[in-house]
Amino acid sequence: MDVTVVLTTVGGPWLTGQLDALSRQTRPAEQIVLVNNGPRHAVDAVAAIWKPFLPQLEILDDDRTASCAFARNVGAAHARHRGLLFLDDDDEVTPGYVAAMSAALDRA
């Protein structure tokens, strides 16, 4: 199944690790929606570094409600694919994560 990764952040220091992990997937996500739920444009510089390695990366700034659940819903509303994988900036997925989760969605 084609998947969209919804990645939430408030501009924390861990974002680089998660973007690095997503760039090393054996099966990349078709879309990565990075939802910045912190100060506007707080992640622009970090995202710009990773954009050449993650061309499917899209950035949304939305701080109307400071909440992970709110940020996930913003990302889900922007997703182009039925398969949704929700991650936070302090996660670091293994290289086979997207492939395994996509396969699980195919079976479910």
Side-chain angles (χ1 to χ4, degrees):
M1 174 177 292
D2 290 344
V3 297
T4 293
V5 168
V6 175
L7 174 57
T8 61
T9 187
V10 294
W14 313 279
L15 181 58
T16 296
Q18 181 64 293
L19 291 174
D20 179 49
L22 288 170
S23 75
R24 292 183 282 111
Q25 292 300 298
T26 57
R27 179 199 182 277
E30 286 74 20
Q31 179 187 27
I32 301 171
V33 179
L34 174 59
V35 182
N36 175 29
N37 195 229
R40 293 244 180 236
H41 308 293
V43 300
D44 290 356
V46 171
I49 293 168
W50 287 98
K51 186 70 173 161
F53 306 101
L54 296 166
Q56 70 276 43
L57 180 63
E58 302 171 26
I59 304 161
L60 298 176
D61 286 307
D62 198 324
D63 61 354
R64 290 176 291 164
T65 301
S67 159
C68 284
F70 175 80
R72 289 182 186 114
N73 286 331
V74 168
H78 191 74
R80 291 190 308 269
H81 305 286
R82 283 186 6 182
L84 298 176
L85 305 178
F86 295 99
L87 299 173
D88 296 323
D89 61 0
D90 61 346
D91 300 325
E92 284 192 32
V93 295
T94 61
Y97 174 81
V98 171
M101 295 304 288
S102 178
L105 288 171
D106 284 338
R107 291 189 305 271

XYZ file of all heavy atoms in Angstrom:
816
model
N 0.843 -1.175 0.000
C 0.000 0.000 0.000
C 0.889 1.239 0.000
O 1.909 1.274 0.676
C -0.897 -0.016 1.247
C -1.714 1.253 1.410
S -2.847 1.223 2.819
C -4.000 -0.020 2.280
N 0.497 2.236 -0.760
C 1.201 3.513 -0.724
C 0.908 4.185 0.609
O -0.231 4.159 1.091
C 0.731 4.415 -1.865
C 1.191 3.924 -3.222
O 2.099 3.077 -3.271
O 0.642 4.390 -4.218
N 1.955 4.758 1.204
C 1.782 5.334 2.539
C 2.276 6.777 2.595
O 3.170 7.185 1.858
C 2.512 4.514 3.628
C 1.936 3.116 3.742
C 4.005 4.461 3.383
N 1.636 7.491 3.499
C 2.085 8.816 3.894
C 2.574 8.719 5.327
O 1.869 8.189 6.193
C 0.931 9.840 3.823
O 0.546 10.014 2.469
C 1.347 11.186 4.397
N 3.778 9.192 5.573
C 4.284 9.318 6.934
C 3.905 10.709 7.426
O 4.201 11.704 6.763
C 5.815 9.137 6.998
C 6.362 9.547 8.362
C 6.196 7.703 6.693
N 3.221 10.762 8.551
C 2.905 12.024 9.201
C 3.870 12.135 10.378
O 3.815 11.353 11.315
C 1.438 12.078 9.675
C 1.170 13.361 10.453
C 0.488 11.948 8.492
N 4.761 13.093 10.283
C 5.811 13.290 11.283
C 5.547 14.600 12.012
O 5.538 15.658 11.411
C 7.169 13.327 10.586
C 8.406 13.671 11.409
C 8.576 12.722 12.573
C 9.627 13.660 10.508
N 5.307 14.505 13.322
C 5.006 15.705 14.103
C 6.236 16.177 14.861
O 7.077 15.380 15.281
C 3.859 15.451 15.095
O 4.233 14.424 16.011
C 2.593 15.046 14.361
N 6.322 17.494 15.031
C 7.454 18.091 15.735
C 7.055 19.441 16.303
O 6.075 20.042 15.876
C 8.663 18.262 14.790
O 9.803 18.690 15.542
C 8.373 19.258 13.681
N 7.832 19.897 17.260
C 7.749 21.281 17.736
C 9.101 21.950 17.510
O 9.418 22.962 18.102
C 7.325 21.380 19.228
C 5.907 20.902 19.423
C 8.281 20.612 20.117
N 9.892 21.348 16.627
C 11.214 21.885 16.337
C 12.282 21.372 17.273
O 13.295 22.020 17.475
N 12.056 20.184 17.831
C 12.993 19.608 18.790
C 14.312 19.196 18.175
O 14.433 19.048 16.955
N 15.314 18.975 19.018
C 16.656 18.623 18.533
C 16.745 17.229 17.926
O 17.745 16.892 17.309
C 17.516 18.731 19.793
C 16.575 18.468 20.919
C 15.252 19.055 20.473
N 15.699 16.421 18.069
C 15.746 15.042 17.585
C 15.335 14.911 16.134
O 15.494 13.863 15.538
C 14.813 14.165 18.423
C 14.979 14.375 19.873
C 15.954 13.834 20.665
C 14.195 15.204 20.712
N 15.810 14.271 21.950
C 14.727 15.124 22.014
C 13.083 16.019 20.506
C 14.200 15.812 23.092
C 12.555 16.715 21.583
C 13.104 16.599 22.846
N 14.788 15.950 15.553
C 14.233 15.869 14.199
C 15.249 15.361 13.187
O 14.922 14.550 12.322
C 13.684 17.232 13.774
C 13.049 17.297 12.393
C 11.897 16.308 12.274
C 12.594 18.715 12.097
N 16.485 15.785 13.282
C 17.520 15.354 12.345
C 17.673 13.834 12.354
O 17.791 13.216 11.293
C 18.862 16.034 12.662
O 18.702 17.432 12.454
C 19.981 15.526 11.783
N 17.657 13.228 13.521
C 17.793 11.770 13.618
C 16.663 11.039 12.921
O 16.888 10.040 12.229
N 15.446 11.530 13.084
C 14.304 10.878 12.453
C 14.317 11.074 10.931
O 14.033 10.149 10.182
C 12.997 11.403 13.040
C 11.758 10.757 12.464
C 11.649 9.285 12.751
O 12.445 8.481 12.260
N 10.664 8.919 13.551
N 14.664 12.262 10.472
C 14.750 12.489 9.027
C 15.853 11.631 8.414
O 15.688 11.079 7.318
C 14.964 13.972 8.724
C 13.765 14.873 9.039
C 14.136 16.334 8.852
C 12.549 14.503 8.217
N 16.962 11.488 9.114
C 18.030 10.600 8.655
C 17.512 9.170 8.551
O 17.750 8.481 7.549
C 19.227 10.687 9.602
C 20.353 9.765 9.183
O 20.734 9.778 7.996
O 20.859 9.018 10.052
N 16.791 8.719 9.562
C 16.242 7.361 9.553
C 15.267 7.168 8.395
O 15.276 6.129 7.722
C 15.554 7.070 10.885
N 14.440 8.166 8.120
C 13.498 8.064 7.004
C 14.212 8.077 5.659
O 13.738 7.471 4.696
C 12.459 9.181 7.082
C 11.432 9.021 8.197
C 10.607 10.296 8.354
C 10.534 7.821 7.942
N 15.362 8.718 5.585
C 16.110 8.749 4.318
C 16.777 7.409 4.013
O 17.181 7.168 2.881
C 17.167 9.862 4.346
O 18.269 9.496 5.148
N 16.889 6.539 4.997
C 17.561 5.245 4.820
C 16.589 4.071 4.707
O 16.975 2.916 4.852
C 18.528 5.010 5.975
C 19.717 5.968 5.950
C 20.727 5.717 7.052
N 20.257 6.256 8.326
C 19.885 5.526 9.374
N 19.927 4.219 9.326
N 19.469 6.095 10.488
N 15.329 4.335 4.408
C 14.342 3.264 4.303
C 14.586 2.398 3.073
O 14.932 2.896 2.006
C 12.928 3.854 4.240
C 12.481 4.515 5.520
C 12.471 3.543 6.681
O 11.739 2.549 6.686
N 13.305 3.812 7.682
N 14.397 1.088 3.237
C 14.533 0.171 2.110
C 13.391 0.372 1.112
O 13.547 0.082 -0.070
C 14.544 -1.291 2.582
O 13.341 -1.544 3.326
C 15.766 -1.564 3.446
N 12.273 0.843 1.593
C 11.129 1.203 0.757
C 10.650 2.560 1.257
O 9.976 2.654 2.278
C 10.001 0.182 0.882
C 8.783 0.529 0.038
C 7.564 -0.243 0.547
N 6.394 0.012 -0.237
C 5.582 1.056 -0.075
N 5.827 1.974 0.829
N 4.511 1.190 -0.829
N 10.981 3.630 0.567
C 10.612 4.959 1.051
C 9.105 5.190 1.023
O 8.391 4.613 0.205
C 11.295 5.916 0.076
C 12.197 5.103 -0.762
C 11.772 3.674 -0.653
N 8.650 6.023 1.904
C 7.255 6.457 1.888
C 7.025 7.321 0.650
O 7.924 8.031 0.212
C 6.934 7.262 3.143
N 5.839 7.257 0.098
C 5.514 8.072 -1.074
C 5.384 9.550 -0.714
O 5.593 10.418 -1.554
C 4.216 7.583 -1.724
C 4.369 6.292 -2.489
C 4.513 5.043 -1.606
O 4.136 5.086 -0.416
O 5.027 4.036 -2.107
N 5.028 9.826 0.530
C 4.849 11.197 0.997
C 5.245 11.256 2.466
O 4.924 10.357 3.235
C 3.387 11.623 0.828
C 3.079 13.029 1.295
C 1.580 13.336 1.250
O 0.738 12.449 1.348
N 1.256 14.610 1.107
N 5.939 12.311 2.833
C 6.239 12.582 4.242
C 5.716 13.980 4.540
O 6.150 14.953 3.918
C 7.744 12.515 4.544
C 8.305 11.138 4.208
C 7.997 12.873 6.014
C 9.823 11.056 4.272
N 4.762 14.054 5.454
C 4.206 15.334 5.857
C 4.789 15.669 7.230
O 4.473 15.012 8.218
C 2.663 15.304 5.917
C 2.117 16.647 6.368
C 2.084 14.908 4.572
N 5.643 16.658 7.262
C 6.255 17.124 8.498
C 5.391 18.256 9.041
O 5.296 19.314 8.429
C 7.678 17.613 8.232
C 8.422 18.263 9.399
C 8.550 17.310 10.572
C 9.789 18.739 8.936
N 4.732 18.008 10.158
C 3.854 19.007 10.748
C 4.578 19.659 11.911
O 4.826 19.029 12.940
C 2.520 18.394 11.224
C 1.605 19.484 11.794
C 1.828 17.652 10.089
N 4.931 20.917 11.717
C 5.565 21.697 12.772
C 4.467 22.306 13.630
O 3.735 23.171 13.181
C 6.446 22.791 12.174
C 7.020 23.694 13.240
O 7.229 23.269 14.365
N 7.254 24.935 12.898
N 4.374 21.843 14.871
C 3.357 22.322 15.805
C 3.948 23.319 16.791
O 3.323 23.685 17.765
C 2.737 21.124 16.532
C 1.455 21.432 17.250
O 1.329 21.070 18.408
N 0.501 22.071 16.599
N 5.176 23.761 16.517
C 5.848 24.753 17.358
C 5.898 26.090 16.653
O 5.064 26.390 15.794
N 6.893 26.896 16.978
C 7.012 28.222 16.357
C 7.109 28.129 14.840
O 7.778 27.247 14.298
C 8.307 28.786 16.954
C 8.529 28.007 18.212
C 7.946 26.651 17.976
N 6.445 29.027 14.164
C 6.435 29.044 12.695
C 7.857 29.026 12.138
O 8.729 29.721 12.622
C 5.725 30.284 12.184
C 4.259 30.270 12.502
C 3.464 30.214 11.215
N 2.044 30.195 11.541
C 1.238 29.238 11.111
N 1.691 28.283 10.367
N -0.030 29.256 11.427
N 8.051 28.210 11.142
C 9.311 28.086 10.404
C 10.477 27.585 11.262
O 11.617 27.692 10.852
C 9.670 29.406 9.716
C 8.554 29.954 8.883
N 8.115 29.324 7.741
C 7.773 31.043 9.051
C 7.113 30.015 7.234
N 6.876 31.056 8.006
N 10.181 27.011 12.429
C 11.236 26.521 13.316
C 12.001 25.342 12.726
O 13.128 25.079 13.129
C 10.648 26.127 14.673
N 11.407 24.648 11.768
C 12.058 23.459 11.206
C 12.563 23.681 9.789
O 13.130 22.774 9.185
C 11.102 22.243 11.234
C 10.682 21.925 12.653
C 9.909 22.459 10.346
N 12.381 24.866 9.244
C 12.725 25.110 7.844
C 14.194 24.822 7.532
O 14.502 24.197 6.517
C 12.388 26.547 7.450
C 10.886 26.793 7.378
O 10.109 25.834 7.565
O 10.499 27.943 7.132
N 15.104 25.261 8.378
C 16.536 25.071 8.112
C 16.898 23.584 8.127
O 17.633 23.117 7.241
C 17.374 25.841 9.119
N 16.394 22.842 9.100
C 16.687 21.404 9.179
C 16.064 20.678 7.991
O 16.702 19.847 7.349
C 16.182 20.814 10.513
C 16.282 19.306 10.525
C 16.951 21.403 11.679
N 14.818 21.005 7.678
C 14.137 20.342 6.556
C 14.848 20.624 5.245
O 14.941 19.743 4.377
C 12.684 20.789 6.498
N 15.366 21.822 5.069
C 16.070 22.176 3.828
C 17.309 21.302 3.624
O 17.642 20.950 2.489
C 16.462 23.648 3.839
N 17.974 20.942 4.701
C 19.142 20.062 4.613
C 18.735 18.685 4.106
O 19.439 18.065 3.303
C 19.841 19.951 5.990
C 20.447 21.292 6.374
C 20.870 18.832 5.994
C 20.896 21.373 7.821
N 17.583 18.195 4.555
C 17.160 16.832 4.229
C 16.340 16.729 2.959
O 16.160 15.637 2.421
C 16.405 16.225 5.419
C 17.364 15.913 6.498
C 17.650 16.665 7.601
C 18.239 14.803 6.543
N 18.649 16.080 8.322
C 19.023 14.932 7.697
C 18.447 13.697 5.717
C 19.991 13.997 8.047
C 19.411 12.764 6.072
C 20.168 12.928 7.223
N 15.838 17.829 2.444
C 14.988 17.803 1.247
C 15.652 17.108 0.052
O 14.981 16.339 -0.649
C 14.560 19.239 0.895
C 13.582 19.326 -0.226
C 12.211 18.803 0.167
C 11.225 19.083 -0.963
N 10.051 18.266 -0.893
N 16.952 17.294 -0.216
C 17.563 16.564 -1.345
C 17.539 15.041 -1.173
O 17.513 14.298 -2.147
C 19.004 17.070 -1.374
C 18.965 18.387 -0.672
C 17.888 18.261 0.367
N 17.532 14.580 0.073
C 17.515 13.148 0.366
C 16.094 12.616 0.513
O 15.868 11.410 0.456
C 18.306 12.859 1.640
C 19.698 13.410 1.604
C 19.999 14.596 2.256
C 20.694 12.771 0.879
C 21.284 15.127 2.212
C 21.980 13.298 0.829
C 22.268 14.480 1.493
N 15.157 13.518 0.748
C 13.740 13.168 0.939
C 12.878 14.088 0.069
O 12.198 14.988 0.575
C 13.350 13.331 2.418
C 14.036 12.414 3.421
C 13.816 12.899 4.841
C 13.520 10.983 3.256
N 12.884 13.890 -1.240
C 12.133 14.793 -2.110
C 10.627 14.765 -1.862
O 9.920 15.683 -2.243
C 12.473 14.307 -3.523
C 12.988 12.920 -3.344
C 13.590 12.848 -1.974
N 10.136 13.718 -1.199
C 8.713 13.609 -0.900
C 8.319 14.364 0.382
O 7.171 14.329 0.811
C 8.305 12.130 -0.816
C 8.839 11.365 0.390
C 10.243 10.807 0.251
O 11.135 11.464 -0.244
N 10.441 9.585 0.723
N 9.265 15.073 0.976
C 9.040 15.802 2.230
C 8.269 17.100 1.984
O 8.642 17.904 1.142
C 10.388 16.117 2.886
C 10.368 16.876 4.203
C 9.677 16.072 5.294
C 11.801 17.227 4.618
N 7.190 17.268 2.727
C 6.384 18.485 2.697
C 6.290 19.030 4.116
O 6.145 18.270 5.058
C 4.983 18.194 2.164
C 4.981 17.579 0.780
C 3.611 17.101 0.354
O 2.601 17.634 0.852
O 3.559 16.184 -0.488
N 6.347 20.330 4.262
C 6.336 20.957 5.583
C 5.055 21.755 5.761
O 4.684 22.553 4.897
C 7.541 21.892 5.762
C 8.833 21.138 5.510
C 7.545 22.510 7.152
C 10.003 22.026 5.219
N 4.401 21.525 6.888
C 3.225 22.302 7.261
C 3.489 22.941 8.616
O 3.912 22.253 9.549
C 1.984 21.410 7.380
C 1.501 20.683 6.141
C 0.332 19.780 6.511
C 1.087 21.673 5.087
N 3.252 24.223 8.728
C 3.307 24.908 10.022
C 1.880 25.109 10.503
O 1.068 25.702 9.790
C 3.972 26.290 9.885
C 5.466 26.199 9.710
O 6.112 25.544 10.546
O 5.981 26.784 8.746
N 1.561 24.592 11.674
C 0.227 24.796 12.230
C 0.318 24.749 13.745
O 0.457 23.688 14.334
C -0.754 23.758 11.720
C -2.199 24.197 11.915
O -2.484 24.852 12.945
O -3.034 23.899 11.049
N 0.265 25.905 14.359
C 0.384 25.988 15.816
C -0.903 26.486 16.474
O -0.886 26.989 17.581
C 1.566 26.885 16.202
C 1.409 28.310 15.698
O 0.447 28.585 14.950
O 2.256 29.148 16.044
N -2.046 26.316 15.778
C -3.318 26.787 16.339
C -3.634 26.109 17.664
O -4.199 26.732 18.553
C -4.460 26.549 15.360
C -4.394 27.438 14.129
C -5.483 27.090 13.163
N -5.211 25.777 12.576
C -6.099 25.041 11.921
N -7.334 25.476 11.772
N -5.759 23.890 11.407
N -3.278 24.837 17.779
C -3.485 24.093 19.018
C -2.216 23.310 19.299
O -1.794 22.505 18.464
C -4.681 23.124 18.884
O -5.844 23.865 18.566
C -4.903 22.353 20.172
N -1.602 23.537 20.453
C -0.368 22.843 20.817
C -0.715 21.444 21.321
O -1.009 21.244 22.494
C 0.389 23.628 21.877
N -0.688 20.483 20.396
C -1.086 19.125 20.737
C -0.602 18.164 19.665
O -0.770 18.433 18.467
C -2.615 19.062 20.848
O -3.095 17.750 20.711
N -0.024 17.039 20.084
C 0.394 16.014 19.117
C -0.809 15.495 18.336
O -0.711 15.287 17.128
C 1.077 14.850 19.831
S 2.758 15.212 20.348
N -1.925 15.292 19.026
C -3.120 14.788 18.343
C -3.581 15.776 17.269
O -3.933 15.368 16.157
C -4.234 14.529 19.348
N -3.571 17.053 17.588
C -3.955 18.068 16.610
C -3.012 18.021 15.412
O -3.450 18.025 14.265
C -3.938 19.459 17.252
C -4.195 20.567 16.274
C -5.480 20.874 15.871
C -3.139 21.290 15.738
C -5.716 21.886 14.948
C -3.362 22.310 14.822
C -4.663 22.603 14.421
N -1.711 17.970 15.674
C -0.723 17.941 14.591
C -0.893 16.699 13.725
O -0.770 16.769 12.494
C 0.691 18.015 15.164
N -1.183 15.561 14.338
C -1.412 14.336 13.558
C -2.632 14.491 12.652
O -2.619 14.058 11.499
C -1.579 13.142 14.488
C -0.294 12.736 15.153
C -0.465 11.509 16.032
N 0.765 11.267 16.739
C 0.916 11.370 18.052
N -0.119 11.691 18.820
N 2.083 11.147 18.607
N -3.687 15.091 13.170
C -4.888 15.304 12.365
C -4.624 16.264 11.206
O -5.141 16.071 10.106
C -6.039 15.812 13.228
C -6.623 14.715 14.091
O -6.593 13.551 13.747
N -7.154 15.088 15.239
N -3.819 17.297 11.435
C -3.442 18.219 10.355
C -2.704 17.449 9.263
O -2.998 17.594 8.081
C -2.579 19.386 10.891
C -1.935 20.172 9.765
C -3.419 20.300 11.775
N -1.750 16.622 9.656
C -1.001 15.832 8.685
C -1.874 14.834 7.944
O -1.752 14.678 6.733
N -2.765 14.168 8.659
C -3.660 13.193 8.032
C -4.568 13.863 7.008
O -4.831 13.306 5.936
C -4.484 12.476 9.089
N -5.022 15.064 7.313
C -5.891 15.787 6.384
C -5.146 16.171 5.103
O -5.753 16.328 4.051
C -6.459 17.031 7.056
N -3.837 16.290 5.189
C -3.011 16.679 4.042
C -2.492 15.459 3.260
O -1.945 15.606 2.172
C -1.837 17.525 4.552
C -1.063 18.193 3.474
N -1.522 19.287 2.785
C 0.163 17.913 2.955
C -0.627 19.660 1.896
N 0.409 18.841 1.974
N -2.676 14.267 3.810
C -2.134 13.044 3.209
C -2.791 12.733 1.870
O -3.993 12.921 1.699
C -2.321 11.873 4.160
N -1.990 12.237 0.932
C -2.493 11.827 -0.377
C -2.734 10.320 -0.466
O -3.228 9.839 -1.477
C -1.503 12.237 -1.468
C -1.421 13.727 -1.682
C -0.619 14.090 -2.939
N 0.689 13.480 -3.017
C 1.814 14.036 -2.547
N 1.784 15.201 -1.949
N 2.967 13.413 -2.684
N -2.361 9.571 0.567
C -2.463 8.113 0.503
C -3.302 7.593 1.663
O -3.325 8.184 2.748
C -1.076 7.484 0.519
C -0.205 8.021 -0.572
N -0.373 7.675 -1.895
C 0.801 8.925 -0.547
C 0.504 8.317 -2.633
N 1.227 9.091 -1.838
N -3.956 6.465 1.435
C -4.811 5.869 2.475
C -4.002 5.340 3.647
O -4.440 5.378 4.778
C -5.622 4.722 1.894
C -6.781 5.145 1.070
C -7.599 3.955 0.664
N -7.093 2.740 1.307
C -7.563 1.546 1.137
N -8.549 1.351 0.339
N -7.042 0.502 1.740
N -2.832 4.792 3.364
C -1.992 4.255 4.425
C -1.304 5.390 5.169
O -0.589 6.185 4.569
N -1.544 5.471 6.453
C -0.952 6.533 7.279
C -0.057 5.925 8.344
O -0.474 5.011 9.063
C -2.044 7.363 7.961
C -3.003 8.115 7.049
C -4.083 8.797 7.875
C -2.259 9.123 6.205
N 1.161 6.431 8.431
C 2.096 6.040 9.481
C 2.405 7.287 10.291
O 2.893 8.270 9.747
C 3.375 5.462 8.877
C 3.217 4.297 7.902
C 4.574 3.873 7.369
C 2.487 3.138 8.545
N 2.116 7.255 11.580
C 2.320 8.414 12.442
C 3.608 8.261 13.233
O 3.801 7.251 13.920
C 1.133 8.577 13.401
C -0.156 8.887 12.706
C -1.078 7.891 12.445
C -0.431 10.182 12.294
C -2.267 8.176 11.792
C -1.614 10.482 11.640
C -2.539 9.472 11.387
N 4.478 9.259 13.124
C 5.745 9.271 13.843
C 5.922 10.617 14.530
O 5.364 11.619 14.092
C 6.920 9.047 12.883
C 6.946 7.736 12.112
C 8.071 7.749 11.089
C 7.099 6.572 13.066
N 6.732 10.616 15.568
C 7.117 11.859 16.240
C 8.592 12.107 15.978
O 9.335 11.204 15.587
C 6.850 11.763 17.744
C 5.374 11.615 18.055
O 4.559 12.244 17.358
O 5.034 10.869 18.996
N 9.028 13.327 16.231
C 10.418 13.681 15.927
C 11.426 12.965 16.815
O 12.582 12.852 16.457
C 10.629 15.194 15.973
C 10.349 15.813 17.332
O 9.976 15.097 18.284
O 10.500 17.041 17.439
N 11.011 12.460 17.964
C 11.966 11.776 18.846
C 12.014 10.272 18.610
O 12.656 9.547 19.361
C 11.685 12.093 20.307
C 10.307 11.651 20.772
O 9.456 11.330 19.917
O 10.069 11.639 21.988
N 11.354 9.788 17.559
C 11.481 8.391 17.136
C 12.658 8.295 16.165
O 13.044 9.279 15.559
C 10.238 7.923 16.360
C 8.956 7.998 17.160
O 9.004 7.763 18.366
O 7.916 8.295 16.551
N 13.200 7.111 16.015
C 14.131 6.819 14.926
C 13.798 5.427 14.430
O 14.103 4.446 15.091
C 15.594 6.922 15.366
C 16.064 8.343 15.499
C 17.564 8.462 15.656
O 18.310 7.622 15.097
O 17.984 9.403 16.342
N 13.163 5.355 13.277
C 12.719 4.080 12.745
C 13.883 3.314 12.118
O 14.847 3.905 11.664
C 11.583 4.282 11.717
C 10.355 4.844 12.397
C 12.012 5.186 10.573
N 13.742 2.004 12.106
C 14.762 1.162 11.485
C 14.578 1.190 9.963
O 13.507 1.543 9.466
C 14.660 -0.285 11.994
O 13.370 -0.801 11.648
C 14.867 -0.354 13.497
N 15.600 0.800 9.199
C 15.536 0.904 7.733
C 14.374 0.154 7.080
O 13.935 0.527 6.008
C 16.879 0.353 7.276
C 17.801 0.647 8.407
C 16.957 0.454 9.649
N 13.839 -0.865 7.703
C 12.735 -1.617 7.107
C 11.363 -1.228 7.622
O 10.367 -1.881 7.294
N 11.282 -0.159 8.390
C 10.018 0.223 9.028
C 8.898 0.484 8.021
O 7.812 -0.090 8.127
C 10.229 1.455 9.913
C 8.957 1.999 10.497
C 8.395 1.417 11.628
C 8.302 3.079 9.917
C 7.218 1.894 12.157
C 7.126 3.569 10.447
C 6.585 2.976 11.569
O 5.414 3.458 12.086
N 9.127 1.350 7.052
C 8.067 1.701 6.102
C 7.635 0.468 5.310
O 6.439 0.238 5.114
C 8.500 2.849 5.170
C 7.485 3.067 4.055
C 8.676 4.140 5.961
N 8.576 -0.347 4.887
C 8.237 -1.570 4.144
C 7.384 -2.506 4.999
O 6.374 -3.045 4.524
C 9.510 -2.274 3.687
N 7.779 -2.722 6.245
C 7.038 -3.630 7.126
C 5.644 -3.102 7.433
O 4.659 -3.858 7.412
C 7.816 -3.850 8.423
N 5.543 -1.827 7.703
C 4.235 -1.255 8.029
C 3.332 -1.214 6.803
O 2.123 -1.451 6.901
C 4.396 0.132 8.638
C 5.116 0.119 9.984
S 4.332 -0.948 11.212
C 2.882 0.016 11.579
N 3.889 -0.948 5.646
C 3.112 -0.960 4.416
C 2.579 -2.367 4.137
O 1.412 -2.542 3.772
C 3.965 -0.473 3.252
O 3.236 -0.521 2.054
N 3.426 -3.364 4.325
C 2.999 -4.760 4.132
C 1.910 -5.130 5.122
O 0.945 -5.826 4.775
C 4.204 -5.698 4.260
N 2.045 -4.668 6.359
C 1.013 -4.948 7.370
C -0.317 -4.305 6.975
O -1.381 -4.919 7.146
C 1.468 -4.435 8.734
N -0.273 -3.104 6.431
C -1.502 -2.460 5.979
C -2.119 -3.205 4.797
O -3.346 -3.285 4.683
C -1.224 -1.003 5.591
C -0.954 -0.061 6.767
C -0.471 1.291 6.253
C -2.195 0.107 7.641
N -1.281 -3.777 3.938
C -1.795 -4.568 2.822
C -2.558 -5.801 3.327
O -3.562 -6.191 2.739
C -0.660 -5.052 1.916
C -0.123 -3.950 1.013
O -0.851 -2.970 0.769
O 1.024 -4.079 0.548
N -2.057 -6.393 4.408
C -2.670 -7.608 4.955
C -3.907 -7.318 5.783
O -4.754 -8.192 5.956
C -1.673 -8.377 5.801
C -0.552 -9.005 5.026
C 0.293 -9.933 5.898
N 0.818 -9.291 7.092
C 1.976 -8.646 7.188
N 2.734 -8.523 6.102
N 2.382 -8.115 8.322
N -4.001 -6.131 6.339
C -5.090 -5.836 7.302
C -6.366 -5.437 6.590
O -6.412 -4.906 5.536
C -4.665 -4.711 8.239
